[in-house]
Structure formats: structure tokens, C-alpha cells
């Protein structure tokens, strides 16, 4: 492997859709890691979902060999990161394994909310930041305006900003030279005790867990015994290597390197992202500082469609957690759906992605319950409970007060869309705390807003109102008092626990009406009428009815006396009454999914 001074570890950070994956494509093409025949766009995005949606979900590492203008050979370890607010945990992991970051700013859109929050994240870890202005080939590009924003909003030197067009490949050579010149080489001693940080993993059905590492000190080679710091499990390294799109085996990994090891790890729970790997014979005394603690904000339960698939779902969830450390889950059960898992997600997009990955990568048929946030409930006896599951909600009579999580939301928008965005924030119970004009065309709005209101469709509506130009970022700010209610959905007079939701009382009627309407369209008609009701306690606040299928019992009557027809109709009526008494309603999977969608689509 290269000398430490010839290694550069860097990541690309930016707001969503500012061209990170395209820039990574150009760097890889320039280094000839892949020939033109096998090249495809978004080459580091190896999941179908990433390609379809045009977003990066997983941070991916790749080792790029580069010969500088002065003839020195370098090893550049690039970690491509996501831009969406739901995957900021992936960004924090990538940043932890690098010494420098390319901060990408779109030449047409400028500095956005995630640009700022990702930059602060990089500064917290003392990374060297290289500003890069991308998309300079676009007709709407305004480089002088963007340079002013870099100076004013980011406090970086705009004169050192590199001008590139990732799509056309302009300025890539200068970018390579800037990486080598400005980003510091990793510090670390190859001859001291092994200390390596696990920043990611994935599961290979034939070889077990593949562990992605950044080495800070020491060396790893084949045959060496290693120790995981968190649980003291010992394994023998079978293979070590680097990422060059495929996994490429090397003799050893040493301080400063980013690579992978395979050690026949079949027990998935032994490996934890953020853990320290050290030598079993000569272990280090202290673990490396791990990543920041995961704080899931959205909670939902997952159940297998067929209850016999529970064990299979459990092993799929464990393998998925290897590759997505921000997923949190524990066992759960429901009267309607059987055994499943209560899961914590970083946002609604994260929930959607997990659902799609379970279905595509692990071939699981699953049902998700309506998402919820974690509420704080004060009982009359002085006890305090944290509740994210409607099934755990205590009796109304026992509750003294309730609080819900609030966020500090930052929206950066062109002034043209200001009025509509303020209306949207007010509708979502937001309270404006600040408004700053960043320049003559852009304004930053700061709102205190309940997290539950942002969960469902806030992000989509913000994008459609502003034609994609407004950007959004948030931090959890604490708990504030709220009027909380448990909304139950009754089918044929019976409550379906999997459809219950915790809602703000002021929105309960609207939410109940929408859920009832959706279920009416999804539930197949039976031989008897099915009432669908939304209730808070014993108080019914919404109702829809699925009409009965009426079999034509008079079809065989041609003419004749009316009493004969009446007799047949009375007989049918009696049969329906009896059927209704014993009739149970089957809920299709689509009904659960329909409830999740909060607006008419």
C-alpha cells in the first residue's frame, strides 16, 4: 500500500440534487477504474431504488489511484454521501472516516439548507473543506452570485472555489490537483497497535459479513486475529482489500487506508457500525470516538403479510441493519396482524426506502402501520411515559397532560414563493421565530413546528409549491404541550389496533375522515353493509359505509304474485342479518398502505 503521506481520504457533501453522484462518476472515469463500455451513470449507487429515484441513500467508498502533475502517485479514498435530510446519519459516518470534504454548491440554486448543515457537521470533525461550484455549464448558472453566497453564508474563501461541470467533465483535472494539495494526509502510525473504525458493513450470503473499515493506526493482514471492542468477539481475517468498484484483495491494509475485511462472520449481531476493531494479541486500551447517537424520529410497526414468515423477516431485518445502522427495531405484536417489529426511522423517506429494500432485496411481503412520533405523557400519579405506539396509550382519565416533539425548521427559498410557504408552515401549526434575507432573491425562514406535522407530506408540498427551489432542514428542539388524542378505527364495530393513530385533537376529525374514505375505497364489498368509523374514546367523529353486494334473488321470478317476491326478499334480509352477526371483514394489504398516504394523490 501507499505511504501515509500519499493517501487522501475525502468525501463529497452537498444538498440533495447538487450533483454529488455525477461528480463521483467523473472522478472514477478519469482514473479509468471502469472502461467506457461498462460505465453507467450513478455508478456508485448500486441499489435499484437509488437509480429509480435519482438519489443516493447509502454512502459508498471507492479507492482511486491518481498520478499528480509532478509525477507523485497518490491513493484517493472517496466516500460519496447522500444529500437528503433523512440520511444525514450516513453523512456523519462518512465524515468520521475522512480528513477532507468537497463541499458542492449548485451554480443555479446556490447555498441550500443541507449545504449549511453538512458543512457544520464537517467543521465539527475538523475536516479541510474545499468549496466546489458545480453545473457551471447550465444556462441559468450565476457564478458571481454563488461566490458571494460562499463568502457570506458559508464564510469560506470563494476565490479558492473550483469551477466544474460534472456532467461535461470540465475542471476535473484541477479538482484532482486541489484534493492532493489542500486535503491533509491521514495521521497514524502503521507500526503501533491496530485501531480501525467500522463505518459500514454489508452481508454476503456466501462469505458472511463484509466489514468496511478506516484504519487509524496499525495494520491488518490475512490470518491475523482481530477483536471487536464492543463485545470482545475474536475472529481471524480471511481476506483484506480495497474498494475499486469491485472488492479488490490486497496483501494488507495499513494506517490511513480505507478498505474491507472478511473474517467468516456469520453472527450478524457481532458487528456494529461505529465499533473499533483492534488486534486480539495486542489490543488497544481505548475505543475510537464512535459516531453520534442515532435518534429515530418516526416510529412504525412492520408485520409480515403471512405470520409464518416472521422468522424470515427477523433475519432480513438484522441483515438490513448491518447495511443501515440508523434502523432501530424491537419485537412487537398486534391482535389484527400477529407478531412483528416496532421500528424507528430517521424520517418518512427512510421508512419508504426500508420498505422497498425489504421487498426487493429480501423478497419480504410486509405491512407497515401508520407512522407516529414519540410523545411524552404525564399521568395524574406524577408518572411520566414516552409513547410512540398507540397500543400503549393509557386511559384518557389517567392523563394529566401530554407533550409532543418540536423541531427548529430552516427553510431557504427564493422570495417569489415566500407567501405560499408561510401559509403552508402556518397550516402545519408552525410559529415563525426568524426571517433573514440572505440576498435580494433568497430568504431564510426559521419556524418552531411540531414534528408530527412535518412527517407526512410537508416536504413534498414544499417542493411542489416552490417548484423544487426551496430547501428544508431541521433539528429536534425539545418537547412542548399539546392536545393529544388516540384515534381508533372501527370496522363493523370492532377496533383494528393496527390502524390506531395518535393525533393532535384539532386535526383528529380531518384525519379520521380521510382514513375512513380511503378504507371505503379499499375494502372489498361483502354480502352485508360494513360501517367504517373513526372514534376518540366512545365518541364517533367520522363514518363511511361499504355498501352490501346485493344478490338478485328475484331473477328466477317471471311475473306471478308479489307476495312470492316479498317472501324471497324477507328471507334474504334474515340471512344478511345473521351473516352480519358472524361476518368478519378481511382487510387487504392495500388498505394499510392507503392509510399511510395522507393526501389525495
Amino acid at each position: 500500500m501507499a505511504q501515509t503521506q500519499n493517501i487522501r481520504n475525502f468525501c463529497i457533501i452537498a444538498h440533495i440534487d447538487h450533483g454529488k453522484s455525477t461528480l463521483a462518476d467523473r472522478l472514477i472515469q478519469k482514473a479509468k477504474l471502469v472502461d467506457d463500455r461498462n460505465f453507467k451513470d450513478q455508478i456508485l449507487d448500486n441499489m435499484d431504488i437509488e437509480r429509480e429515484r435519482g438519489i443516493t441513500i447509502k454512502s459508498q467508498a471507492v479507492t482511486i489511484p491518481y498520478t499528480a502533475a509532478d509525477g507523485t502517485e497518490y491513493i484517493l479514498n472517496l466516500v460519496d454521501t447522500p444529500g437528503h435530510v433523512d440520511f444525514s446519519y450516513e453523512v456523519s459516518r462518512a465524515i468520521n472516516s475522512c480528513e477532507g470534504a468537497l463541499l458542492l454548491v449548485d451554480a443555479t440554486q446556490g447555498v441550500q439548507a443541507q449545504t449549511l448543515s453538512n458543512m457544520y457537521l464537517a467543521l465539527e470533525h475538523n475536516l479541510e473543506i474545499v468549496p466546489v461550484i458545480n453545473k457551471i455549464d447550465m444556462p441559468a448558472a450565476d457564478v458571481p452570485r454563488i461566490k458571494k453566497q460562499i463568502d457570506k453564508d458559508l464564510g469560506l474563501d470563494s476565490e479558492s472555489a473550483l469551477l466544474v461541470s460534472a456532467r461535461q467533465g470540465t475542471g476535473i483535472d484541477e479538482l484532482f490537483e486541489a484534493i492532493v494539495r489542500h486535503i491533509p494526509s491521514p495521521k497514524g502510525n502503521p507500526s503501533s497497535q491496530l485501531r480501525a473504525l467500522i463505518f459500514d458493513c454489508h452481508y454476503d450470503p456466501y462469505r458472511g459479513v463484509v466489514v468496511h473499515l478506516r484504519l487509524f493506526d496499525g495494520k491488518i493482514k490475512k490470518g491475523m486475529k482481530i477483536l471487536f471492542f464492543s463485545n470482545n468477539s475474536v475472529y481471524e481475517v480471511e481476506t483484506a482489500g480495497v474498494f475499486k468498484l469491485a472488492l479488490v484483495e490486497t496483501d494488507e491494509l495499513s494506517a490511513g487506508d480505507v478498505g474491507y475485511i472478511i473474517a467468516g462472520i456469520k453472527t450478524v449481531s457481532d458487528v456494529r457500525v461505529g465499533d473499533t476493531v483492534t488486534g486480539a494479541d495486542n489490543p488497544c486500551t481505548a475505543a475510537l470516538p464512535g459516531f453520534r447517537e442515532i435518534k429515530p424520529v418516526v416510529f412504525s410497526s412492520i408485520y409480515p403479510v403471512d405470520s409464518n414468515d416472521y422468522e424470515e423477516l427477523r433475519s432480513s431485518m438484522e441483515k438490513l441493519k448491518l447495511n443501515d445502522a440508523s434502523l432501530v427495531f424491537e419485537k412487537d405484536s398486534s391482535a389484527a396482524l400477529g407478531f412483528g417489529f416496532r421500528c424507528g426511522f430517521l424520517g418518512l423517506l427512510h421508512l419508504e426506502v426500508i420498505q422497498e429494500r425489504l421487498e426487493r432485496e429480501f423478497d419480504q411481503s410486509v405491512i407497515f402501520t401508520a407512522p407516529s412520533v414519540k410523545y411524552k405523557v404525564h399521568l395524574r400519579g406524577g408518572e411520566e411515559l414516552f409513547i410512540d405506539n398507540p397500543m400503549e396509550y393509557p386511559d384518557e382519565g389517567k392523563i394529566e397532560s401530554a407533550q409532543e416533539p418540536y423541531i427548529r425548521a430552516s427553510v431557504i427559498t427564493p422570495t417569489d414563493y415566500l407567501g405560499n410557504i408561510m401559509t403552508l408552515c402556518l397550516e402545519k401549526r408552525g410559529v415563525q421565530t426568524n426571517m433573514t434575507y440572505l440576498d435580494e432573491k433568497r430568504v431564510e425562514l426559521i419556524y418552531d413546528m411540531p414534528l408530527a406535522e412535518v412527517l407526512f407530506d410537508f416536504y413534498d408540498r414544499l417542493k411542489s409549491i416552490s417548484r423544487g427551489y426551496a430547501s428544508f432542514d431541521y433539528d429536534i428542539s425539545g418537547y412542548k404541550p399539546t392536545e393529544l388524542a388516540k384515534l381508533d378505527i372501527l370496522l363493523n364495530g370492532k377496533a383494528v389496533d393496527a390502524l390506531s393513530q395518535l393525533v393532535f385533537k384539532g386535526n383528529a376529525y380531518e384525519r379520521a375522515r380521510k382514513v375512513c374514505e380511503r378504507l371505503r375505497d379499499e375494502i372489498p364489498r361483502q354480502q352485508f353493509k360494513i360501517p367504517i368509523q373513526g372514534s376518540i374514546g366512545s365518541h364517533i367523529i367520522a363514518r363511511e359505509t361499504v355498501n352490501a353486494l346485493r344478490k338478485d334473488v328475484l331473477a328466477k321470478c317471471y311475473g306471478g304474485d308479489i307476495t312470492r317476491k316479498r317472501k324471497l326478499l324477507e328471507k334474504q334480509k334474515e340471512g344478511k342479518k345473521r351473516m352480519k352477526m358472524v361476518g368478519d371483514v378481511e382487510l387487504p394489504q392495500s388498505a394499510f398502505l392507503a392509510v399511510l398516504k395522507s393526501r389525495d394523490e
Side-chain angles (χ1 to χ4, degrees):
M1 296 303 289
Q3 294 293 312
T4 319
Q5 65 265 27
N6 292 351
I7 296 174
R8 299 289 183 271
N9 297 322
F10 69 99
C11 56
I12 304 178
I13 55 176
H15 186 76
I16 189 169
D17 204 22
H18 279 203
K20 292 176 296 301
S21 297
T22 314
L23 184 59
D25 289 350
R26 289 301 85 75
L27 295 173
I28 288 164
Q29 264 187 312
K30 196 80 179 168
K32 301 208 168 18
L33 282 186
V34 58
D35 56 34
D36 292 340
R37 190 163 55 102
N38 293 327
F39 179 77
K40 53 187 178 182
D41 285 341
Q42 277 181 274
I43 197 157
L44 285 181
D45 294 345
N46 51 19
M47 284 193 274
D48 294 343
I49 312 168
E50 292 181 312
R51 301 187 161 281
E52 284 166 22
R53 294 181 176 228
I55 56 172
T56 301
I57 292 166
K58 290 286 307 153
S59 57
Q60 297 289 349
V62 62
T63 298
I64 302 171
Y66 173 65
T67 307
D70 61 3
T72 314
E73 292 193 356
Y74 290 93
I75 294 289
L76 310 180
N77 292 315
L78 155 68
V79 185
D80 181 26
T81 64
H84 196 282
V85 65
D86 278 16
F87 304 111
S88 54
Y89 184 70
E90 285 286 330
V91 181
S92 79
R93 288 159 48 185
I95 281 174
N96 244 6
S97 49
C98 298
E99 278 79 34
L102 301 182
L103 183 65
L104 224 57
V105 182
D106 187 324
T108 59
Q109 297 199 22
V111 172
Q112 305 274 290
Q114 280 295 108
T115 319
L116 282 164
S117 69
N118 285 343
M119 185 190 78
Y120 290 136
L121 201 56
L123 288 173
E124 273 174 41
H125 289 81
N126 298 321
L127 264 61
E128 184 64 40
I129 294 174
V130 178
V132 179
I133 299 174
N134 188 23
K135 304 192 186 180
I136 56 166
D137 59 310
M138 300 285 275
D142 186 349
V143 174
R145 179 171 66 86
I146 307 304
K147 282 193 168 183
K148 271 187 206 161
Q149 289 179 17
I150 289 174
D151 277 332
K152 191 175 167 213
D153 300 350
L154 302 178
L156 299 172
D157 178 16
S158 64
E159 291 310 308
S160 66
L162 296 148
L163 304 181
V164 301
S165 163
R167 196 172 54 165
Q168 295 188 340
T170 317
I172 299 299
D173 290 331
E174 292 81 354
L175 184 60
F176 266 123
E177 285 297 315
I179 291 166
V180 169
R181 219 173 31 247
H182 295 303
I183 291 173
S185 56
K187 296 176 179 65
N189 185 356
S191 52
S192 70
Q193 296 159 314
L194 170 65
R195 287 198 314 154
L197 186 69
I198 301 177
F199 69 89
D200 206 354
C201 305
H202 71 270
Y203 188 81
D204 184 305
Y206 304 107
R207 308 180 78 180
V209 179
V210 180
V211 182
H212 302 203
L213 299 165
R214 156 69 205 273
L215 273 74
F216 284 88
D217 288 306
K219 292 181 178 179
I220 284 187
K221 54 178 116 181
K222 194 174 175 178
M224 178 178 170
K225 282 200 161 35
I226 53 164
L227 171 87
F228 290 123
F229 216 85
S230 65
N231 52 18
N232 291 326
S233 24
V234 176
Y235 286 96
E236 187 176 316
V237 177
E238 293 171 6
T239 310
V242 294
F243 306 101
K244 288 193 176 173
L245 297 183
L247 302 180
V248 178
E249 217 174 304
T250 57
D251 299 333
E252 64 175 25
L253 294 172
S254 105
D257 285 334
V258 172
Y260 71 90
I261 57 165
I262 297 171
I265 305 165
K266 295 287 188 231
T267 314
V268 169
S269 55
D270 275 2
V271 187
R272 286 176 46 199
V273 170
D275 197 4
T276 300
V277 175
T278 185
D281 304 327
N282 182 16
C284 59
T285 49
L288 290 159
F291 305 113
R292 61 186 185 172
E293 198 57 36
I294 315 159
K295 286 189 186 139
V297 293
V298 180
F299 297 86
S300 173
S301 293
I302 301 180
Y303 297 95
V305 171
D306 180 351
S307 52
N308 297 329
D309 294 341
Y310 173 75
E311 283 303 319
E312 211 179 304
L313 176 62
R314 188 174 61 79
S315 86
S316 302
M317 296 280 285
E318 283 180 352
K319 287 171 189 168
L320 189 57
K321 183 168 171 59
L322 262 188
N323 198 231
D324 184 349
S326 46
L327 173 65
V328 179
F329 64 90
E330 58 187 33
K331 287 179 182 172
D332 192 16
S333 66
S334 145
L337 298 168
F339 289 105
F341 297 95
R342 188 73 182 164
C343 303
F345 305 95
L346 297 182
L348 219 57
L349 178 64
H350 188 207
L351 183 150
E352 278 180 42
V353 165
I354 293 291
Q355 182 180 354
E356 286 197 34
R357 289 187 71 185
L358 280 171
E359 286 172 356
R360 293 180 188 207
E361 293 173 30
F362 300 99
D363 207 18
Q364 295 293 312
S365 298
V366 289
I367 291 173
F368 276 71
T369 60
S372 168
V373 297
K374 192 169 269 188
Y375 294 97
K376 196 190 282 186
V377 174
H378 301 277
L379 302 182
R380 293 195 188 281
E383 201 183 335
E384 189 177 281
L385 297 175
F386 281 97
I387 292 171
D388 61 66
N389 193 338
M391 293 178 220
E392 294 165 4
Y393 192 67
D395 260 346
E396 285 281 349
K398 293 180 182 173
I399 297 170
E400 190 172 290
S401 65
Q403 291 179 304
E404 65 178 328
Y406 266 67
I407 58 169
R408 178 185 173 277
S410 155
V411 179
I412 295 179
T413 173
T415 47
D416 306 358
Y417 311 111
L418 190 58
N420 288 345
I421 288 173
M422 287 168 90
T423 308
L424 171 66
C425 292
L426 280 172
E427 191 187 310
K428 297 289 185 184
R429 295 191 283 139
V431 176
Q432 190 177 319
T433 57
N434 200 355
M435 178 172 166
T436 316
Y437 277 86
L438 300 171
D439 52 39
E440 56 279 4
K441 285 191 177 169
R442 290 180 319 136
V443 62
E444 181 182 27
L445 299 167
I446 306 289
Y447 274 88
D448 263 350
M449 203 181 283
L451 176 63
E453 294 289 339
V454 177
L455 278 193
F456 282 96
D457 56 353
F458 179 80
Y459 194 75
D460 295 341
R461 286 182 63 196
L462 180 75
K463 283 291 173 197
S464 58
I465 283 172
S466 67
R467 298 184 189 169
Y469 282 108
S471 65
F472 171 65
D473 188 33
Y474 66 84
D475 299 306
I476 305 291
S477 60
Y479 280 82
K480 290 190 180 178
T482 184
E483 292 279 316
L484 192 59
K486 180 188 177 188
L487 171 64
D488 283 316
I489 303 296
L490 312 177
L491 283 187
N492 216 3
K494 288 181 187 170
V496 181
D497 57 357
L499 291 178
S500 297
Q501 299 179 28
L502 294 173
V503 293
F504 173 63
K505 267 186 187 158
N507 297 348
Y509 165 71
E510 191 65 22
R511 182 70 58 82
R513 191 175 58 79
K514 277 184 182 160
V515 171
C516 291
E517 281 173 7
R518 285 245 156 77
L519 288 174
R520 182 196 62 202
D521 298 337
E522 293 293 336
I523 292 173
R525 287 167 72 186
Q526 310 284 338
Q527 294 284 344
F528 52 90
K529 272 186 183 178
I530 305 168
I532 305 166
Q533 296 163 312
S535 76
I536 292 177
S538 57
H539 183 51
I540 304 290
I541 57 171
R543 172 176 171 137
E544 292 288 336
T545 307
V546 178
N547 286 325
L549 274 173
R550 184 169 173 275
K551 185 181 174 188
D552 191 0
V553 289
L554 305 181
K556 59 187 176 191
C557 298
Y558 292 97
D561 190 9
I562 187 71
T563 52
R564 185 166 166 233
K565 292 182 182 175
R566 278 215 186 104
K567 198 171 158 190
L568 283 168
L569 288 169
E570 286 299 320
K571 194 173 165 191
Q572 184 186 40
K573 206 170 171 184
E574 284 302 312
K576 284 200 174 182
K577 203 179 280 179
R578 203 164 52 247
M579 194 188 288
K580 188 171 180 178
M581 278 157 50
V582 294
D584 263 347
V585 184
E586 275 206 4
L587 260 180
Q589 186 190 358
S590 57
F592 287 94
L593 299 177
V595 173
L596 292 187
K597 294 172 185 164
S598 63
R599 285 187 77 75
D600 301 319
E601 287 165 17

